[in-house]
């Protein structure tokens, strides 16, 4: 028998025939050709061809999202709001199944499905500052278009998701109670994280400040969560599972983390980890084209801090997971999460030295 925590390691999206049969009934598909799709670490995604229509099907990882109905409710709320007040916005709503339901529970496997938007595409790696601009504009637009919507109405699908104080605390616990051998092996990385504790203090000052505003925040602003048209213009944002009340530093931070470096968190050749300052400007230009008048001066003063905050948090999350035997992110090879943490530490190092000297 596998322990619960071990099961998470083996969380893979197997599409078994019996489940597919039930999905076909729920969505009224007479035939369906299913193939793997996307690179997310958490949910499993497939592309489904039904005659000449295409869909994106997702199984929600319930080890992480313990109450998938909260996500479903948020989708309904947002979908109604967009329909009523911004019908021109391309909101990629979940497809209705039997009885108008939008999510199906098959033996505690939760699935939902989206239309595949024709003539749209996603990008995995940001190649030029213009793409960074377009993506940042779309994330800014999403928040700004919802400025009249009361963010507090949204369910919190993952509590304390971007709470750096809590992440730091969890890291501290892992350093004491985690895998002993991994703790000694990660001595340098642990020390590095501890030497940057001032970032946690700055984050706490930021969120406690009266001018920091909670808004509708996406919380997963990687480039593959933006749909582009044929001319590489942004169309809209997708993957709304972590849309919750939050601070703008979450969205800007994850854009910095994932757009400004030519390689991803998976890169093992750390010499390739550099900061492209023109991409930082792209993010700023795109986001401000929608959010300039929404953010106050105090918030704008923390624009560059957003990158430090998020890169630091991701380094902590990967390292904590390594110390805890990879229970959250899983691993594809030995030391995977240690390498990911080292990668993010290197990125933070580059970010702090280059960005602050050039923009500070
Ligand atoms: C997870 O599954 P994916 O790639 O969309 C994680 C993000 C991390 C990211 C790192 C719910 O997102 O917070 O930044 O991995 N999402 C969750 O690759 O933990
Ligand atoms: Mg995601």
């Amino acid at each position: 028998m596998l322990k619960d925590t071990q099961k998470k390691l083996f969380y893979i999206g197997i599409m078994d025939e019996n489940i597919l049969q039930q999905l076909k009934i729920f969505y009224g598909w007479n035939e369906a050709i299913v193939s793997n799709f996307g690179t997310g670490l958490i949910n499993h995604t497939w592309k489904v061809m039904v005659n000449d229509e295409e869909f994106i099907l997702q199984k929600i990882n319930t080890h992480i999202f313990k109450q998938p109905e909260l996500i479903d409710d948020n989708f309904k709320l947002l979908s109604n709001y967009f329909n009523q007040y911004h019908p021109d916005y391309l909101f990629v709503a979940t497809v209705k199944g039997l009885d108008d339901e939008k999510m199906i529970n098959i033996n505690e496997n939760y699935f939902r499905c989206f239309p595949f938007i024709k003539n749209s595409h996603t990008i995995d790696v940001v190649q030029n500052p213009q793409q960074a601009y377009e993506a940042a504009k779309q994330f800014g637009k999403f928040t700004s278009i919802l400025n009249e919507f009361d963010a507090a109405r949204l369910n919190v699908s993952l509590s304390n998701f971007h709470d750096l104080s809590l992440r730091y605390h969890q890291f501290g616990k892992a350093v004491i109670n985690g895998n002993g051998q991994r703790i000694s092996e990660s001595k340098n990385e642990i020390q590095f994280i501890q030497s940057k504790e001032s970032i946690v203090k700055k984050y706490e000052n930021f969120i406690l400040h009266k001018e920091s505003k909670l808004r509708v925040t996406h919380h997963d602003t990687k480039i593959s969560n933006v749909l582009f048209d044929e001319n590489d213009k942004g169309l809209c944002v997708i993957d709304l599972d972590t849309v919750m009340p939050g601070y703008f530093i979450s969205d800007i931070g994850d854009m910095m983390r994932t757009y400004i470096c030519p390689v991803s968190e998976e890169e093992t050749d750390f010499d390739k980890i550099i900061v492209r300052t023109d991409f930082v400007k792209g993010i700023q230009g795109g986001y401000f084209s929608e959010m300039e008048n929404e953010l106050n001066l105090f918030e704008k003063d923390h624009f560059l801090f957003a990158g430090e905050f998020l890169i630091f948090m991701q380094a902590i999350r990967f390292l904590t997971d390594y110390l805890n035997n990879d229970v959250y992110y899983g691993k594809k090879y030995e030391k995977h999460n240690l390498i990911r943490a080292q990668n993010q530490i290197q990125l933070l190092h580059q970010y702090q030295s280059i960005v602050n000297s050039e923009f500070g």
Side-chain angles (χ1 to χ4, degrees), residues 79-93:
S79 177
N80 291 340
Y81 187 84
F82 277 110
N83 276 340
Q84 192 172 354
Y85 297 105
H86 300 281
D88 293 340
Y89 181 81
L90 178 58
F91 179 77
V92 186

Side-chain angles (χ1 to χ4, degrees), residues 149-155 245:
F149 175 91
D150 178 10
R153 289 174 65 201
L154 291 169
N155 293 317

